[in-house]
Amino acid sequence: MNKNRKYALIIILVTNAILISFLESLIPIPVPIPGVKLGLGNIITMIGIAFLGFKDVLFIVIVRSFVVAILTRGIMMLVFSLTGGLLSALVMWLLYKKFSKLFSIKGISIAGAIVHSTAQIVVASMILGQVVVMFYLPILLISSIITGLITGSIAELTINEVRKKEVFKNVNQF
Amino acid sequence: MKAMRRFKKGDIVLVLFIGIIAIIPLLWTYLGDRGKQRENLTAVVIRDGKRVKEIDLNKVQESQYIRFEEGIKTTILAEKGQIKFLEADCPDQICVKTGLLTKPADRAVCLPGKTIVLIEEDEGNN
């Protein structure tokens, strides 16, 4: 295990995060509510949190947000994915490192999704100069519970599998 | 596989807590809406944080188009008792998919275009 191996693993996670978020943007969402989405990129963030350092996780989230914003929703939407992504990564990191006894990966993922949508709504009301978008918060919270549970279950399965294969063994000594 | 299906205490508390917080306002609006008279509907168009237009939807006789040409191009169509985003020059099209707004507290939001259309009900104006 050397430093290059760690970088390679980070790059693999970044490209996976980009691809998965891009593919998600191609799936039409049946409800016309701003901010409702699956948040599949969260799976990769969760894997990063489980195996890498906090800086590496931030790197993954930032690169993913930039690339996906350019590819799909336009650079103006970057502010949403970036604030939401970074804040939810921070909360999930804290929960995973400090409160693993209380929360499973599914719960941590749900908490991340909730933080993500709340942050987006706050940013949206600042951009629009109106608090009326807060009206969407209850619906977003419900959808966060559902999507967080889906991505959390996938992340949990993946993390257990990756741990068994020892892909990230000793990676944090670099 | 068994271990993966397990939830921890915090998971359940979190879901219940947030679920209740979210469901109360939803029920509130749903119950509050029932049986209300749909009169004196005013559509408000907000762009860049300013109320740029108010339309009394009951008095609209012919189709009325509101167009914004700067930034994200947006067209809003107002007709008697209803209003909607007809077109928006943005990738997500959420505002257009929202469809017709016909009752109080209905709203459609175009985030990229910083535009909100919502319906307010005038009270005691008659």
Side-chain angles (χ1 to χ4, degrees):
Chain A
M1 178 64 103
N2 56 36
K3 216 168 185 159
N4 287 336
R5 182 176 154 82
K6 181 182 176 180
Y7 291 152
L9 287 170
I10 292 175
I11 296 301
I12 289 169
L13 286 186
V14 170
T15 44
N16 269 289
I18 293 169
L19 187 66
I20 217 171
S21 307
F22 177 68
L23 289 178
E24 178 186 319
S25 73
L26 301 179
I27 305 170
I29 293 158
V31 278
I33 292 162
V36 170
K37 57 177 185 197
L38 265 170
L40 293 175
N42 197 36
I43 298 168
I44 307 292
T45 311
M46 202 58 236
I47 296 172
I49 288 171
F51 297 108
L52 294 165
F54 190 51
K55 269 190 213 159
D56 306 320
V57 174
L58 291 186
F59 175 77
I60 294 170
V61 172
I62 291 170
V63 176
R64 190 243 316 186
S65 301
F66 266 92
V67 175
V68 174
I70 292 164
L71 283 178
T72 61
R73 304 196 295 163
I75 203 77
M76 196 219 126
M77 302 303 269
L78 178 63
V79 61
F80 291 97
S81 37
L82 213 49
T83 40
L86 289 177
L87 275 176
S88 68
L90 177 68
V91 168
M92 292 195 299
W93 172 269
L94 285 175
L95 290 178
Y96 186 77
K97 297 293 167 183
K98 309 273 179 203
F99 299 99
S100 279
K101 276 192 184 139
L102 277 175
F103 295 98
S104 71
I105 301 221
K106 292 183 284 267
I108 294 172
S109 190
I110 292 170
I114 287 167
V115 170
H116 198 283
S117 20
T118 313
Q120 284 195 319
I121 275 288
V122 172
V123 174
S125 46
M126 287 196 293
I127 287 182
L128 293 164
Q130 293 285 329
V131 287
V132 289
V133 281
M134 291 289 180
F135 167 86
Y136 290 120
L137 189 57
I139 305 167
L140 281 177
L141 289 177
I142 302 274
S143 87
S144 295
I145 292 176
I146 299 164
T147 59
L149 184 61
I150 296 170
T151 59
S153 307
I154 300 171
E156 199 166 51
L157 287 168
T158 319
I159 287 168
N160 287 336
E161 206 54 35
V162 169
R163 185 169 282 139
K164 249 187 252 162
K165 302 241 160 75
E166 301 189 332
V167 180
F168 288 86
K169 205 184 178 192
N170 300 329
V171 84
N172 274 325
Q173 68 194 51
F174 295 99
Chain B
M1 281 307 277
K2 245 179 205 168
M4 279 161 215
R5 276 191 225 115
R6 216 171 43 208
F7 288 88
K8 292 186 185 170
K9 252 184 214 161
D11 302 349
I12 295 155
V13 173
L14 177 77
V15 168
L16 286 180
F17 181 68
I18 298 293
I20 289 168
I21 285 184
I23 280 169
I24 288 172
L26 285 178
L27 278 179
W28 191 271
T29 20
Y30 174 70
L31 295 175
D33 257 8
R34 280 195 314 186
K36 247 193 187 169
Q37 287 182 342
R38 306 277 149 80
E39 282 171 20
N40 302 324
L41 298 178
T42 307
V44 183
V45 180
I46 299 165
R47 180 125 169 140
D48 280 330
K50 290 185 227 58
R51 285 174 165 246
V52 288
K53 197 148 183 100
E54 287 184 15
I55 305 162
D56 186 338
L57 287 181
N58 300 327
K59 289 185 184 146
V60 177
Q61 296 303 329
E62 291 166 12
S63 300
Q64 195 177 333
Y65 294 88
I66 302 135
R67 290 192 174 86
F68 295 102
E69 302 289 341
E70 289 162 39
I72 303 277
K73 284 184 192 166
T74 319
T75 308
I76 296 158
L77 170 63
E79 286 168 325
K80 190 169 172 56
Q82 58 187 50
I83 188 163
K84 67 172 176 181
F85 274 92
L86 196 63
E87 282 173 343
D89 191 13
C90 68
D92 59 22
Q93 296 291 310
I94 282 173
C95 56
V96 178
K97 283 184 214 156
T98 305
L100 283 174
L101 313 180
T102 55
K103 39 184 203 302
D106 271 0
R107 64 198 69 200
V109 176
C110 169
L111 267 184
K114 298 184 192 174
T115 309
I116 307 169
V117 177
L118 60 102
I119 294 190
E120 286 178 351
E121 193 176 33
D122 292 336
E123 279 165 39
N125 239 7
N126 276 359

